[in-house]
Amino acid sequence: MSWNNQGGGPWRSGQGPWGQGPGGAQPPGDLEETLRRLQAALRGFLPSGGGFAGRGVIFVVLVAILLWFAWGFYTVQPNEIGINLVFGANHGKTQAGLNYNWPWPVGTVIKVPVSDQKITEVGYRSELDAAAENGRNRAAAPEESLMLTGDQNIVDVQFRVSWQIDPAAPENFVFNIRHPEETVKAVAESVMREVVGLKKIDGILTTDRQSIEPDVQTRLQKVLNDYHAGVLVLQVQLQSVDVPSQVLSAYRDVTAAQQDQQRAVNDAYTYSNKVKPEAEGAAARIRLEAQAYRQQTVAEATGQTSRFNQVYEQYKNAPGVTRERMYLETMERVLGGMDKTILDTNGVAPPVPYLALDALQPKPAGAAK
């Protein structure tokens, strides 16, 4: 055999097939010498006759084992996380790049796309439609969208949930839930029905729409966390919120009547706010005038009483003089503003005729007035 020509076997002089001895690496020869040694080593393992000999079988087995171990290398993409399984048990996670795990059937690798965003539609189904503005058309699913409000009305709610696999716990997504998309959809529909059932239809159709989305997202995330589903809810978007088409016309009539009622109430409040201040102002003015009149009357009465008391005190001191002064003051007040002629009837001689010349003279307009 060929190894006998090399001095005692395929590795002569204590060297291995790659030119290395038991003491360590040896200086490499040229390329032809290395190839010649490799060919000699392979011929030493291969059988010389027909069929496989023992060394040939061992060589094939070793090559198969090496190939089996090499099969354990795998690549994880940037948007993925690898989960290593050994005999079906979880043995950790691997990040993007080249990684290794035991080959099949000892080990397997599950690659989870944690960065891919998924959309779950509730109450409708998106369909491709070239005639639509965005290229998609929505087909209604009333068995999912019709919900009961807190005031016993029915509302048609269509919404979508954007979610992805939680990068921190992809193993929960793989092992804890069997049908993740169906689970997310069922939980989202249940949570939306709960939130809608707490509100009235008027608020849902108008002012409460902005608060429904974050409320549903928070509740949905909490339920999925309780399930250990490994799902991260990114956003909840209401696509349409309206009353069912069967009662749309009746609801619009009711809404118009409610708006008319509210307008009438507002007009009444406006009139009340206008008339009431005017009435209150008039009442306040009357009260102030009455108080002023009372104060004036009391002040005049107090003054007259004080003057009378003063006159009375003087009258007690000199009755005659006081009586004469009061008489003169009264006559002055009564006769001071009129034309008069005074005759002295106490004299002995007859009265002298008196001609009032000043009455015959024309008076200026201001003086006459």
Side-chain angles (χ1 to χ4, degrees):
M1 299 178 64
S2 59
W3 59 272
N4 290 326
N5 299 328
Q6 308 233 355
W11 301 309
R12 57 187 176 86
S13 302
Q15 294 182 351
W18 317 117
Q20 297 179 353
Q26 300 295 331
D30 56 3
L31 180 60
E32 295 181 357
E33 179 66 19
T34 302
L35 293 176
R36 184 174 58 81
R37 292 177 181 177
L38 179 60
Q39 292 175 358
L42 291 177
R43 284 195 299 268
F45 278 104
L46 293 177
S48 60
F52 286 98
R55 284 175 296 177
V57 173
I58 294 175
F59 176 77
V60 172
V61 171
L62 292 177
V63 171
I65 292 174
L66 292 177
L67 293 177
W68 181 75
F69 275 105
W71 195 18
F73 289 98
Y74 65 93
T75 303
V76 177
Q77 299 299 325
N79 65 323
E80 297 176 338
I81 289 181
I83 300 178
N84 292 334
L85 303 180
V86 178
F87 295 111
N90 182 14
H91 275 249
K93 298 175 291 186
T94 56
Q95 301 299 323
L98 184 63
N99 300 276
Y100 183 83
N101 188 30
W102 287 95
W104 185 89
V106 177
T108 56
V109 179
I110 300 177
K111 299 179 182 180
V112 184
V114 294
S115 299
D116 294 351
Q117 182 175 340
K118 303 179 183 297
I119 303 296
T120 298
E121 300 171 343
V122 181
Y124 72 100
R125 301 292 183 271
S126 295
E127 299 176 351
L128 295 177
D129 187 359
E133 295 181 358
N134 55 359
R136 303 185 70 88
N137 188 22
R138 292 188 307 190
E143 66 278 2
E144 300 176 358
S145 61
L146 295 180
M147 302 180 184
L148 189 65
T149 63
D151 52 356
Q152 304 300 317
N153 286 300
I154 298 178
V155 64
D156 191 344
V157 180
Q158 299 178 1
F159 67 100
R160 57 185 292 182
V161 179
S162 301
W163 58 279
Q164 69 179 31
I165 302 172
D166 190 358
E171 63 276 6
N172 291 342
F173 180 83
V174 175
F175 299 114
N176 291 347
I177 52 179
R178 178 172 298 179
H179 303 290
E181 295 184 357
E182 296 179 3
T183 301
V184 172
K185 181 178 180 180
V187 175
E189 180 181 350
S190 176
V191 171
M192 180 62 74
R193 290 185 183 276
E194 178 184 0
V195 174
V196 170
L198 297 176
K199 300 181 181 296
K200 296 183 178 180
I201 187 171
D202 293 336
I204 295 175
L205 296 177
T206 55
T207 59
D208 292 341
R209 296 187 59 175
Q210 298 299 326
S211 63
I212 290 177
E213 294 178 350
D215 191 10
V216 172
Q217 180 177 353
T218 302
R219 294 171 182 261
L220 176 58
Q221 186 66 68
K222 182 179 182 303
V223 174
L224 293 175
N225 291 342
D226 295 339
Y227 288 170
H228 299 284
V231 173
L232 185 63
V233 181
L234 302 178
Q235 189 179 23
V236 175
Q237 293 179 325
L238 290 173
Q239 299 299 305
S240 67
V241 180
D242 207 342
V243 296
S245 58
Q246 296 84 349
V247 296
L248 181 59
S249 59
Y251 179 80
R252 289 177 178 174
D253 294 339
V254 173
T255 303
Q258 291 176 349
Q259 292 176 354
D260 294 339
Q261 178 187 6
Q262 188 64 35
R263 182 171 58 253
V265 171
N266 293 337
D267 293 341
Y269 276 119
T270 302
Y271 179 75
S272 174
N273 294 333
K274 177 182 178 181
V275 173
K276 186 176 180 180
E278 293 179 354
E280 291 177 351
R285 184 179 65 254
I286 295 174
R287 285 196 300 269
L288 294 177
E289 291 177 354
Q291 293 176 0
Y293 177 75
R294 182 187 65 179
Q295 294 175 359
Q296 179 183 1
T297 303
V298 171
E300 290 179 355
T302 302
Q304 292 178 2
T305 302
S306 176
R307 184 172 59 83
F308 180 80
N309 291 333
Q310 294 176 2
V311 172
Y312 178 69
E313 293 295 332
Q314 297 299 325
Y315 177 78
K316 289 191 301 182
N317 295 331
V321 175
T322 303
R323 199 166 34 247
E324 183 69 21
R325 184 175 61 82
M326 291 176 62
Y327 173 77
L328 294 176
E329 290 178 354
T330 302
M331 296 303 293
E332 180 182 4
R333 186 169 60 253
V334 174
L335 301 176
M338 61 179 62
D339 296 336
K340 52 191 174 292
T341 301
I342 301 173
L343 298 176
D344 186 7
T345 59
N346 295 329
V348 179
V352 178
Y354 172 74
L355 181 59
L357 298 178
D358 55 348
L360 299 178
Q361 296 178 356
K363 296 180 179 180
K369 184 177 180 181

